[in-house]
């Protein structure tokens, strides 16, 4: 019988081709050589990233427009300048962040030097999604390079125009012995994940997050998982409906609703709903005109698959605003649904499109119970003129981030960590948090070789005198 393993005397099987092995070996060798560690090297990589953004701005805007019909405004604020700000912050603070952090000492270590050293993990894998394909690739990349790692970036295959720019242009701006872009969909990424990395940073949906974490567990590789979910938006009776409607409509429709922190559904009383619906209609018409499909400011759905999924959700509850769709254009109109039940499909999955269901609650307590019955969201919003109400929602719920009286403004602050909790993710980044995420915090104590007479008190035979110390 032939040897199933294709061994001597058996059938010879062609060796299983591994498209990633050479690249990963090259990066590993570069890391071991120590070249990514000096501040000057990290500085040069960050400056390269900055030049990439400056010199390819138009190319990037075009790619984002082709992938998602992103307006120049949205591309600038949510992809290009947000990435540039992260780079600038890292460049300004790199040497401070890299410094050893002195820590307090106890009696037994008074004469020692004790500190935390931030050292790079080694070879890092970044897996990014399609909805902010530039920002969510470069954001983690800034942290990984600043921390002195070698990096493999695997952008989403779905935002294919941006993927192409990242694969063909970005590496020219970085040291290619330490950085590589690899391409592929789920199957190729599965193969990639068989390799051992020193850290994996994943942004995407929770189901894929489980696949990534399972693969990482085989090598005991630490992970950051930036996932998604349904972000509740509580609207109190005590508020100005038009102001709330402007803010909710803007953040719901930004990037055609394909934002992990978008307000996913509104919780309010039937009385507030009666005022909110005309206010939302007014806001949507002001933002996108009478025919939103012809507006240059409204994005498109990324793919046929997501378009079909979203069109299916339009049949939940009752459409009171929008409801139109055009398959050829991957267009879904900004839509508001009422009479929505907790059990409707639109309340079971992250919507990720310009559809806003309103679910009625009778009281603030009922809204809080509703939120707490579900998975912990990535973001939570509460609108009220009463700071007591906003603070009560904050105090009695949990979420990755929270914003009172607006949409996802909290993520614009690099001084706040960005990340989920529970099923919306683990770990965080942005600003210094990114540097810390991609650094191992090594506990160090340096003791002088001498002074043995003092330290000898530890050694047996132990006497009552030892115990008094
Ligand atoms: P996704 O999980 O489908 O894809 C993310 C990455 O994983 C891509 O690079 C993709 O190629 C890869 N991938 C997909 N399926 C895989 C599989 N079976 N095995 C291995 N790799 C696989 O996510 P998406 O559709 O690109 O993005 C949308 C999701 O991402 C939403 O759930 C959204 O909430 C979430 N998201 C979260 C954040 C955040 O910061 N928390 C930001 C943006 C998007």
């Amino acid at each position: 019988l032939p040897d199933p393993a294709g061994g001597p005397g058996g059938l010879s099987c062609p060796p299983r081709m591994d498209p990633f092995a050479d690249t990963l070996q090259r990066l590993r060798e570069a890391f071991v050589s120590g070249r990514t560690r000096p501040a000057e090297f990290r500085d040069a990589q960050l400056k390269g990233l900055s030049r990439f953004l400056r010199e390819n701005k138009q190319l990037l805007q075009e790619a984002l427009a082709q992938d998602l019909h992103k307006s120049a405004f949205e591309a600038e604020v949510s992809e290009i300048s947000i990435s540039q700000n992260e780079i600038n912050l890292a460049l300004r603070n790199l040497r401070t962040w890299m410094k050893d952090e002195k820590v307090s000492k106890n009696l037994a270590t008074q004469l020692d030097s004790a500190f935390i050293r931030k050292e790079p993990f080694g070879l890092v894998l970044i897996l990014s999604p399609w909805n902010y394909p530039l920002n969510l690739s470069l954001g983690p990349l800034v942290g990984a390079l600043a921390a002195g790692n070698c990096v493999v970036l695997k952008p989403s295959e779905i935002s294919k125009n941006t993927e192409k720019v990242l694969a063909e242009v970005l590496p020219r701006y970085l040291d290619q012995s330490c950085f590589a872009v690899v391409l592929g969909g789920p199957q190729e990424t599965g193969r990639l994940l068989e390799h051992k990395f020193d850290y994996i940073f994943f942004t995407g949906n929770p189901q894929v997050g489980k696949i990534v974490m399972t693969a990482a567990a085989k090598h005991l590789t630490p992970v950051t998982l930036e996932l998604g979910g349904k972000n509740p938006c509580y609207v109190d009776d005590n508020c100005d409906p038009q102001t709330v409607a402007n803010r909710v409509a803007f953040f719901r429709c930004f990037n055609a609703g394909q934002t992990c922190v978008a307000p996913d559904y509104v919780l309010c009383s039937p009385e507030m709903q009666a005022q909110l619906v005309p206010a939302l209609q007014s806001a949507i018409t002001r933002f996108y005109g009478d025919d939103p499909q012809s507006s240059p400011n409204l994005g498109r759905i990324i793919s046929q698959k997501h378009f079909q999924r979203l069109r299916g959700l339009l049949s939940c509850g009752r459409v009171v605003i929008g409801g139109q769709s055009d398959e050829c254009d991957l267009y879904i109109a900004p839509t508001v649904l009422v009479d929505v039940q907790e059990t409707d499909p639109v309340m079971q999955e992250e919507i990720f499109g310009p559809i806003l269901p309103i679910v009625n609650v009778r009281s603030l307590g009922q809204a809080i119970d509703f939120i707490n019955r579900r998975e912990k969201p990535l973001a939570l919003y509460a609108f009220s003129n009463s700071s007591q109400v906003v603070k009560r929602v904050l105090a009695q719920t949990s979420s990755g981030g929270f914003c009172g009286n607006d949409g996802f403004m909290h993520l614009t602050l690099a001084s706040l960590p960005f990340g989920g909790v529970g099923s919306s993710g683990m770990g965080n980044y942005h600003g210094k948090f990114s540097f810390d995420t991609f650094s191992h915090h090594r506990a160090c104590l340096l003791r002088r070789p001498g002074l043995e007479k003092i330290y000898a008190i530890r050694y047996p035979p132990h006497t009552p005198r030892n115990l008094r110390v």
Side-chain angles (χ1 to χ4, degrees):
L1 278 178
D3 175 357
L11 292 177
S12 62
C13 297
R16 191 166 171 248
M17 291 296 289
D18 184 339
F20 306 113
D22 290 349
T23 305
L24 300 186
Q25 188 174 343
R26 168 167 58 85
L27 266 54
R28 257 204 193 286
E29 282 168 9
F31 182 73
V32 171
S33 78
R35 61 182 312 188
T36 60
R37 289 184 183 247
E40 296 70 31
F41 180 87
R42 307 183 194 195
D43 210 75
Q45 302 311 298
L46 294 171
K47 285 183 177 145
L49 273 186
S50 182
R51 267 198 316 118
F52 163 71
L53 283 180
R54 276 202 313 279
E55 292 175 10
N56 298 284
K57 191 168 174 156
Q58 199 182 336
L59 191 64
L60 288 164
Q61 279 174 343
E62 283 165 11
L64 292 163
Q66 283 160 356
D67 284 333
L68 288 144
H69 197 254
K70 250 183 219 213
S71 67
F73 172 81
E74 285 197 8
E76 182 58 35
V77 300
S78 66
E79 301 267 15
I80 298 171
S81 59
I82 197 168
S83 305
Q84 187 65 62
N85 292 343
E86 283 283 316
I87 298 167
N88 294 346
L89 188 80
L91 277 169
R92 276 202 308 277
N93 293 289
L94 183 64
R95 285 166 174 81
T96 314
W97 292 347
M98 285 174 68
K99 270 195 191 133
D100 289 342
E101 217 174 281
K102 287 222 155 72
V103 296
S104 59
K105 293 179 281 185
N106 55 23
L107 189 62
T109 54
Q110 274 310 306
L111 302 173
D112 305 323
S113 148
F115 56 90
I116 302 167
R117 161 114 356 138
K118 319 289 172 53
E119 63 177 30
F121 279 103
L123 180 56
V124 164
L125 172 64
I126 296 173
L127 298 170
S128 60
W130 51 260
N131 62 334
Y132 292 89
L134 179 69
N135 172 6
L136 299 178
S137 297
L138 295 200
L141 184 57
V142 171
L145 293 175
N149 296 283
C150 287
V151 183
V152 178
L153 169 67
K154 211 296 294 173
S156 172
E157 73 288 5
I158 305 203
S159 41
K160 55 182 183 308
N161 294 286
T162 313
E163 180 200 42
K164 191 165 188 283
V165 181
L166 290 172
E168 292 178 6
V169 185
L170 176 60
R172 289 188 225 148
Y173 290 82
L174 298 172
D175 184 319
Q176 294 192 36
S177 65
C178 306
F179 172 76
V181 177
V182 300
L183 305 179
Q187 206 187 339
E188 293 79 7
T189 312
R191 295 279 306 275
L192 181 63
L193 284 166
E194 287 172 13
H195 289 272
K196 180 173 164 52
F197 292 91
D198 299 306
Y199 202 93
I200 299 178
F201 188 103
F202 169 79
T203 307
N205 87 57
Q207 287 316 314
V208 182
K210 288 179 190 171
I211 295 173
V212 171
M213 198 168 169
T214 303
K218 295 212 170 102
H219 300 289
L220 289 178
T221 298
V223 292
T224 291
L225 301 178
E226 297 282 344
L227 310 176
K230 289 183 83 61
N231 306 311
C233 178
Y234 173 68
V235 181
D236 190 28
D237 281 347
N238 177 11
C239 69
D240 172 39
Q242 192 57 63
T243 304
V244 175
N246 295 342
R247 297 177 187 185
V248 172
F250 174 65
F251 284 103
R252 173 71 282 189
C253 295
F254 199 91
N255 199 27
Q258 300 163 113
T259 305
C260 55
V261 280
D264 188 272
Y265 61 93
V266 163
L267 290 171
C268 70
S269 68
E271 294 74 27
M272 176 42 62
Q273 176 181 303
Q275 299 176 66
L276 205 54
V277 169
L280 284 165
Q281 177 69 76
S282 156
I284 290 167
T285 309
R286 253 182 301 118
F287 298 165
Y288 307 111
D290 289 326
D291 174 21
Q293 190 169 4
S294 60
S295 166
N297 298 309
L298 186 67
R300 292 296 182 269
I301 304 310
I302 186 73
S303 65
Q304 282 287 342
K305 184 179 138 205
H306 282 284
F307 175 85
Q308 298 299 350
R309 181 184 62 77
L310 287 164
R311 193 151 69 177
L313 298 180
L314 293 174
S315 58
C316 297
R318 181 164 56 89
V319 172
V320 285
I321 297 174
Q324 302 83 357
S325 61
D326 178 350
E327 187 170 355
C328 297
D329 191 22
L330 296 177
Y331 166 75
I332 301 271
T335 297
V336 176
L337 303 171
V338 297
D339 299 340
V340 172
Q341 304 303 314
E342 193 175 348
T343 48
D344 285 340
V346 77
M347 291 306 294
Q348 305 310 309
E349 60 183 84
E350 179 182 14
I351 296 172
F352 232 52
I355 302 173
L356 182 72
I358 301 181
V359 177
N360 288 145
V361 283
R362 281 268 153 223
S363 64
L364 173 57
Q366 209 188 352
I368 289 171
D369 286 347
F370 187 97
I371 293 165
N372 289 337
R373 270 203 303 278
R374 304 174 145 254
E375 298 286 8
K376 290 181 183 175
L378 183 59
L380 204 160
Y381 305 102
F383 288 83
S384 177
N385 288 338
S386 156
S387 61
Q388 302 279 343
V389 168
V390 173
K391 284 179 181 162
R392 185 170 156 204
V393 179
L394 175 60
Q396 296 184 359
T397 59
S398 176
S399 61
F402 180 91
C403 183
N405 287 312
D406 211 348
F408 42 86
M409 289 307 294
H410 57 293
L411 72 79
T412 63
L413 281 182
S415 48
L416 287 175
F418 179 77
V421 58
S423 78
S424 57
M426 61 184 71
N428 55 57
Y429 72 129
H430 284 191
K432 181 168 186 291
F433 300 100
S434 299
F435 179 87
D436 285 339
T437 283
F438 287 105
S439 302
H440 166 55
H441 290 209
R442 191 175 187 183
C444 303
L445 186 133
L446 303 184
R447 173 156 288 184
R448 294 184 225 172
L451 303 173
E452 186 57 1
K453 282 213 169 110
I454 299 178
Y455 299 127
I457 195 165
R458 301 170 291 179
Y459 307 142
H462 294 128
T463 64
R465 188 166 166 260
N466 297 122
L467 293 175
R468 279 206 306 276
V469 174

